[in-house]
Amino acid sequence: MSRSLTGALAHSFMGQSPLWYKAVICLFLVLNPLLLVSLGPAAAGWALVLEFIFTLGMALKCYPLMPGGLLLIEALLLQMTTPQALYEELQHNFPVILLLMFMVAGIHFMKELLLFLFSRILLGVRSKAILALLFCVLSAFLSAFLDALTVTAVIISAAVGFYAVYHRVASGANPREDGALDSDQQVAALHREDLDQFRAFLRSLLMHGAVGTALGGVCTLVGEPQNLLIGHEMGWHFADFFLKVAPVSLPVLGAGLLTCVLLEKLRLFGYGTLMPEPVRQVLAAYAAEDDAARTQAQRIALWVQGLAALILIVCLGLHVAEVGLIGLMVIVLITAFTGITDEHRLGRAFQDAMPFTALLVVFFAVVAVIHQQQLFAPLITWVLGLPAEQQPGMLYLANGLLSAISDNVFVATIYITEVKQAFLNGGMSREHFETLAVAINTGTNLPSVATPNGQAAFLFLLTSAIAPLVRLSYGRMVWMALPYTVVMGGLGWWAVTFWL
């Protein structure tokens, strides 16, 4: 009986995660108190930080909230930080939490409009290079004003929809009836080559779109959660933030878009595959049927969403309120004028945002431990001991490396708070503080495209329903992102070092 109970507990602990992963987390939980007693709080604190980064790096094995949350509960029990310190950290970063709670949910109600735009582009443009550029540009623009995760979700939705239509037709099924998409057994032999080519076509567009969210996300206050966090620490509004990072973000944006076109023209790193003509004919016929069946209410909803998007951009530019409150306004406007009054339909809009919001609270708990144990003080002291002209470049590299293997929001939170503390202690001028803040922001945004771990949009794409359908694996994502990593990361470092 006890053996079966133990086995059931072992099975339910961390759910479907591998046994070795469960064992590692248990090892961490046992090791931390021993380190605290034997080597002191500093050693235990560093172990906790590295363990938490491990959970972020293994996000595909288990969502980091659960293992990271267990580690932080233990840290609170061991008094490595206090509930009051965590609460103060959350109060200080409340605008970021508001952003995730309401802005992501607000953009959820614009999905029909965004899906409409991406669908029109996909079917209306025949040149693959121009099509890729438009996907990248539109993703960058939308991410600069909306939310990278939601933009990625829309691109994924469009890709899944188009893939499903052609896969069903190739399998001899009705394109409007649900069917298994993860098996090619029913696909006719003459369609198999077109289906494989279509997969490669969609893979390249998905990667261009994901990179576009990073290119646009670095530019504005709301493009990424860490942008708002850094802007809040600096006291920058929307226009202030844009102008401060522009010497880095705009050259990188131009270089990234040029890289997009060159990759398609030269057909390197898995790019350049065209949409097969039979696939285009099937999808065009399906879209024409959809247009003919669109009701007046659906057309009104598209107009309402478009108007709400314009209001959103104007309000962000003028900074009429905190970003999260503007997101709440968008929710009210769209739902009120499109007849969405059911509580359950509203609740679904918050599903994408709340897991990451909860994880962000765990981030801030780690930051509270770092503050209380002063773990990063020696590193920040070393960086600030370098000649002033070397400091931005070194911070950029340090942030980029850590962001590529862990999470850019977590890294930005640590570095901006430590550098701000040095500024408040009189260690630098306000101008130099702003330069370092730009280095931290761009360092966490640009080189982190190297791996799916560093960018939430990349990780979202990798764990989505479309990834296995189009054969987009972790290794293939890293390979396809490599040219972007070199161009964006390298030019970003140069701009931070020599142009700020």
Side-chain angles (χ1 to χ4, degrees), residues 379-444:
L379 178 60
I380 297 298
T381 301
W382 175 75
V383 171
L384 297 182
L386 295 171
E389 63 273 11
Q390 295 181 18
Q391 294 175 16
M394 287 302 299
L395 271 181
Y396 177 92
L397 291 175
N399 279 269
L401 178 62
L402 278 176
S403 295
I405 61 175
S406 60
D407 182 272
N408 44 20
V409 180
F410 173 60
V411 175
T413 303
I414 293 171
Y415 274 93
I416 192 62
T417 51
E418 293 294 333
V419 170
K420 184 175 183 179
Q421 190 59 50
F423 166 70
L424 294 176
N425 292 339
M428 67 188 75
S429 66
R430 172 70 189 186
E431 182 181 6
H432 189 60
F433 178 36
E434 292 184 349
T435 301
L436 296 184
V438 173
I440 293 169
N441 179 73
T442 52
T444 54

Side-chain angles (χ1 to χ4, degrees), residues 121-180:
I121 292 173
L122 187 64
L123 292 175
V125 180
R126 288 185 171 269
S127 167
K128 180 63 186 306
I130 295 177
L131 177 63
L133 181 63
L134 286 174
F135 255 69
C136 203
V137 168
L138 188 56
S139 297
F141 177 79
L142 292 173
S143 296
F145 290 99
L146 305 179
D147 171 74
L149 281 179
T150 304
V151 174
T152 305
V154 170
I155 298 174
I156 290 170
S157 298
V160 169
F162 283 121
Y163 179 86
V165 169
Y166 184 70
H167 190 278
R168 289 166 189 157
V169 170
S171 302
N174 187 329
R176 297 189 181 276
E177 293 181 358
D178 292 337

